[in-house]
Amino acid sequence: MRQLKTKWADNINEKNVLGEYPRPLMRRKSYVNLNGVWKYAIKDTKGFPKKMNGDILVPFSPEAALSGVGRQLKPDEFLWYKRSLPEEIRPEAGSRWLLHFGAVDQCVVVYVNGKKQGKHVGGYLPFSFDVTDALQEERNILTIKVKDYSDTYYYSRGKQKLENGGMFYTAQSGIWQTVWMEKVPEYHIKDLKITPLYDQSSVMIQLEDAAGRKDIDYDVTVTARTMWPLKTAGRTGRPCMVRIPHMRNWSPEDPFLYDVHIKMGNDSVESYFAMRKIEVKNDKNGIPRIFLNNKPYFQKGVLDQGYWPDGLYTPPCDEAMIYDIQKMKDLGFNMIRKHIKIEPQRWYYHCDRIGMLVWQDMVNGGREYKSWYVTWLATAMEGTHIRAKDTRLHLMGRQDPTGQKQFESEMKETIRRLYNHPSVVTWVIFNEGWGQFKTRKMTDIALAEDHTRLIDSASGWFDQGCGDIKSIHDYFFPLNITPEKRVTALTEFGGYSLQIPKHSMYEKDIYGYKIFKRKKDLSRAYEKLIKKLVIPNISRGLSATVYTQLSDIEEEVNGILSYDRKIVKIDENVVREWNEKLHF
């Protein structure tokens, strides 16, 4: 294996690692970034370690090269972190200190000055604790204990595997998103929910007080470039409606954002929103289509798994995230399917401001999937148009009732956390049968959480006829779409591979659905694929496509970009030219 690194790796400043404000949807002036050099230890016992093993660069996982550790955490081991908190973090009358974690994989217990502050299970979602009562006037110590079962248990894991290879990648563990603190008033804003009411030219704002108080007054100010500020007042526990005169749409072609300032007592936050609407309706020919802002809109997307050779799940810097999104937009894509991973909130913020639609996958979990059933047999059934049921839970790895409840809880939390991002237009609940169960019930639950977006209940095989989308994966068979009541989307196709010497991690062990030796051959094949597979099916009902995939990942060399992001492997002019032909 060759250790690759991106062009940003050499410029990382240990004193300012991913230092941008991590929560753009709810910004406060108070912000203390805790990324940087911490102490770590990997032990096989639960107790506090007497001695640490060395330094780790947070928020990079110990398995990632950028962490400086290069060590795989095993399921029977414990990963410990330790650092002193900055001097400014100390008790202060009338204020509270909140400790935030973007994501920690998988199970974590947090201590301040040896006092347990709480625990969290699940490696992909943010969480926080009010640590005020544990703080001292000086020398405050933060300690974290992590256990990661990876793919040996039913917890969510995405594409991670302890024995990586093919379409599964290096397992990572521990802290992998920004750790930070903020000082807030004793009574402060906990959550903010913003819903655009497109057809009413209005936006609905709902505010939750951290103490759960109802009918607490707050002030709202909406601004946008040269627009005269709109001011109104609301109360917690009730929706606050703001009418937007001369409303301007948000779309990939014009990603226009409105700023909003909210003040409640001594607390104030900054946020933003956009006016856009997504739905499925019949076009003038009676074919179900995806409509954006009341007009049919063809979505041409790319699959993005969010892996980096030097940071694994963690992008090396903000600029790296921007590069991926902007490069795909420059190539003519208007949608990214975020595949079985939840990114840091800044990734979605960049999609919001750059103008990139997002289909967000839920993170799969469960026991071991039986590949002969969920991959090989399912592919054959797809080719013969046989619909398999989702009731064989032991084959799909979802036989644990507690694992089912965990997935349901994380699905709802994912929707809540990403709800305010205008770029997110579709929730993808299950992928190819991995940990799939009770598809109709999960679809109903997701719809109850958010009725403003589309739902792809089962991407690929094991479609149960529910949700807004008939979701097809096609790497091997001819495609001849016939319209049905739901919209039809080709949510994975392509997977064409090209290994680039010195820009691939593996010389011999490579994975892809069709292998090419030269860039011009790959480019020619891509052109033929779009021309023969995709374009004829648009008039038959195809409304969205997702090409596999944005970048190479380890053995899988089917990316448009090399894994180190240094080479565009398909002729850019070819990709742009054929994306321009994808429309209604």
Side-chain angles (χ1 to χ4, degrees):
M1 187 190 81
R2 175 187 291 111
Q3 177 59 60
L4 301 176
K5 64 179 181 180
T6 62
K7 62 183 179 181
W8 304 282
D10 291 334
N11 297 322
I12 290 178
N13 180 358
E14 292 184 351
K15 296 182 179 179
N16 186 26
V17 184
L18 291 163
E20 295 83 5
Y21 196 94
R23 194 185 57 193
L25 278 171
M26 205 169 93
R27 306 183 303 277
R28 289 188 175 96
K29 292 181 179 179
S30 169
Y31 167 53
V32 181
N33 190 303
L34 298 182
N35 293 342
V37 178
W38 296 34
K39 295 295 182 181
Y40 87 96
I42 295 178
K43 305 292 182 182
D44 56 6
T45 55
K46 294 182 179 180
F48 282 87
K50 295 180 180 179
K51 184 179 179 181
M52 307 303 279
N53 294 141
D55 293 339
I56 183 170
L57 187 61
V58 170
F60 299 106
S61 296
E63 296 83 1
L66 288 175
S67 72
V69 176
R71 167 84 149 76
Q72 176 71 64
L73 182 69
K74 303 297 184 182
D76 59 351
E77 296 176 321
F78 295 90
L79 169 61
W80 288 87
Y81 293 87
K82 188 176 183 180
R83 66 154 293 162
S84 58
L85 296 177
E87 293 182 1
E88 64 191 282
I89 299 173
R90 59 181 185 272
E92 186 176 321
S95 297
R96 311 294 297 180
W97 280 102
L98 305 181
L99 173 62
H100 298 279
F101 295 86
V104 183
D105 195 6
Q106 281 173 319
C107 308
V108 58
V109 184
V110 176
Y111 304 87
V112 173
N113 297 324
K115 300 175 183 177
K116 181 178 175 180
Q117 301 302 295
K119 62 181 180 179
H120 183 264
V121 175
Y124 292 83
L125 289 164
F127 59 97
S128 61
F129 301 112
D130 183 335
V131 300
T132 311
D133 295 339
L135 295 177
Q136 304 167 164
E137 288 295 334
E138 56 185 22
R139 190 165 168 71
N140 289 291
I141 303 297
L142 172 61
T143 310
I144 300 167
K145 178 174 68 173
V146 176
K147 193 171 182 64
D148 188 350
Y149 297 90
S150 193
D151 57 321
T152 68
Y153 207 44
Y154 58 67
Y155 292 136
S156 297
R157 61 178 181 270
K159 297 291 280 292
Q160 301 181 68
K161 200 167 186 179
L162 288 170
E163 296 183 10
N164 64 307
M167 69 171 74
F168 295 97
Y169 320 125
T170 299
Q172 57 105 71
S173 59
I175 298 170
W176 66 275
Q177 289 189 28
T178 292
V179 186
W180 57 291
M181 296 187 72
E182 64 178 342
K183 184 170 64 173
V184 297
E186 184 173 355
Y187 294 106
H188 56 273
I189 299 165
K190 180 182 179 182
D191 280 313
L192 175 65
K193 184 177 182 180
I194 304 177
T195 306
L197 304 175
Y198 185 88
D199 292 330
Q200 289 80 39
S201 298
S202 300
V203 63
M204 180 171 66
I205 296 173
Q206 296 165 279
L207 203 67
E208 184 178 343
D209 173 64
R213 300 176 300 164
K214 305 295 183 183
D215 290 327
I216 303 299
D217 293 333
Y218 61 87
D219 296 320
V220 177
T221 304
V222 175
T223 58
R225 300 183 187 177
T226 59
M227 184 185 81
W228 192 262
L230 302 173
K231 295 180 180 291
T232 189
R235 287 187 173 184
T236 56
R238 303 182 188 183
C240 173
M241 309 295 291
V242 183
R243 182 165 177 79
I244 309 297
H246 312 294
M247 183 185 79
R248 185 167 168 181
N249 298 342
W250 183 98
S251 70
E253 292 72 32
D254 183 19
F256 186 81
L257 300 175
Y258 291 87
D259 294 313
V260 59
H261 174 85
I262 298 177
K263 189 175 189 306
M264 185 191 77
N266 294 324
D267 193 19
S268 63
V269 297
E270 305 283 341
S271 189
Y272 64 89
F273 65 89
M275 301 304 296
R276 70 104 185 91
K277 178 185 180 184
I278 195 80
E279 62 183 333
V280 172
K281 293 197 303 186
N282 287 351
D283 66 10
K284 61 183 179 180
N285 298 314
I287 297 175
R289 300 292 192 187
I290 298 174
F291 277 58
L292 178 66
N293 301 333
N294 292 330
K295 296 179 181 179
Y297 189 88
F298 192 91
Q299 297 190 33
K300 36 202 169 185
V302 61
L303 193 76
D304 177 18
Q305 315 217 37
Y307 261 82
W308 304 85
D310 37 24
L312 295 180
Y313 262 4
T314 311
C317 61
D318 213 50
E319 184 184 346
M321 288 188 278
I322 295 169
Y323 173 81
D324 275 5
I325 300 165
Q326 187 64 58
K327 176 56 73 174
M328 292 305 106
K329 186 165 186 179
D330 292 344
L331 291 174
F333 295 102
N334 58 25
M335 179 260 280
I336 289 175
R337 179 183 168 199
K338 179 52 64 175
H339 194 39
I340 320 183
K341 181 195 177 191
I342 301 169
E343 291 287 0
Q345 197 188 99
R346 289 195 65 84
W347 185 88
Y348 302 93
Y349 160 69
H350 292 310
C351 289
D352 294 340
R353 67 174 190 82
I354 290 171
M356 181 65 76
L357 300 171
V358 175
W359 288 31
Q360 176 63 51
D361 287 16
M362 302 302 156
V363 182
N364 60 293
R367 303 280 183 177
E368 181 184 1
Y369 323 129
K370 306 304 179 184
S371 59
W372 67 264
Y373 182 69
V374 300
T375 302
W376 312 119
L377 183 59
T379 302
M381 288 189 291
E382 183 79 7
T384 54
H385 306 289
I386 298 174
R387 179 179 291 175
K389 295 183 179 180
D390 64 352
T391 54
R392 296 177 176 86
L393 301 185
H394 63 292
L395 299 178
M396 295 175 164
R398 197 52 94 172
Q399 58 268 47
D400 297 279
T402 50
Q404 296 178 17
K405 291 179 181 178
Q406 180 79 11
F407 177 88
E408 179 184 331
S409 174
E410 291 182 0
M411 178 183 71
K412 292 192 286 188
E413 185 66 10
T414 299
I415 293 172
R416 292 168 188 162
R417 291 289 183 174
L418 301 181
Y419 183 90
N420 290 354
H421 288 286
S423 58
V424 179
V425 293
T426 302
W427 305 116
V428 182
I429 301 179
F430 295 113
N431 179 77
E432 295 188 351
W434 298 348
Q436 187 171 339
F437 71 104
K438 299 178 182 177
T439 310
R440 288 183 174 273
K441 180 181 177 181
M442 293 302 108
T443 300
D444 291 341
I445 290 171
L447 184 60
E449 287 292 329
D450 181 9
H451 65 276
T452 70
R453 290 178 171 89
L454 307 185
I455 296 179
D456 180 358
S457 301
S459 187
W461 352 124
F462 301 102
D463 176 28
Q464 302 303 299
C466 52
D468 298 294
I469 298 166
K470 180 182 179 180
S471 186
I472 300 170
H473 292 187
D474 191 339
Y475 292 107
F476 308 110
F477 302 108
L479 185 65
N480 192 350
I481 286 172
T482 55
E484 62 157 76
K485 292 182 179 180
R486 297 173 298 167
V487 76
T488 302
L490 182 57
T491 48
E492 286 188 32
F493 78 105
Y496 286 180
S497 300
L498 172 66
Q499 184 191 41
I500 305 292
K502 298 184 180 180
H503 297 277
S504 296
M505 288 189 73
Y506 295 88
E507 295 292 340
K508 296 180 180 179
D509 297 324
I510 61 172
Y511 178 87
Y513 299 113
K514 195 170 184 180
I515 309 296
F516 297 89
K517 297 295 185 181
R518 297 179 298 179
K519 180 176 181 177
K520 67 177 183 179
D521 294 333
L522 174 60
S523 302
R524 195 177 296 125
Y526 177 88
E527 179 179 352
K528 182 180 178 181
L529 182 67
I530 302 299
K531 185 177 181 180
K532 299 292 186 181
L533 186 77
V534 176
I535 289 180
N537 280 292
I538 294 177
S539 61
R540 300 170 188 156
L542 184 62
S543 293
T545 58
V546 179
Y547 180 80
T548 303
Q549 63 185 335
L550 186 147
S551 78
D552 293 350
I553 307 169
E554 299 184 357
E555 288 184 5
E556 195 168 6
V557 290
N558 54 12
I560 295 173
L561 307 178
S562 60
Y563 195 19
D564 56 13
R565 303 326 198 257
K566 294 178 180 178
I567 294 177
V568 182
K569 295 164 55 183
I570 305 178
D571 188 302
E572 295 188 45
N573 292 324
V574 169
V575 179
R576 275 192 293 267
E577 177 187 350
W578 287 95
N579 268 331
E580 289 174 1
K581 299 178 187 295
L582 300 182
H583 56 78
F584 297 129

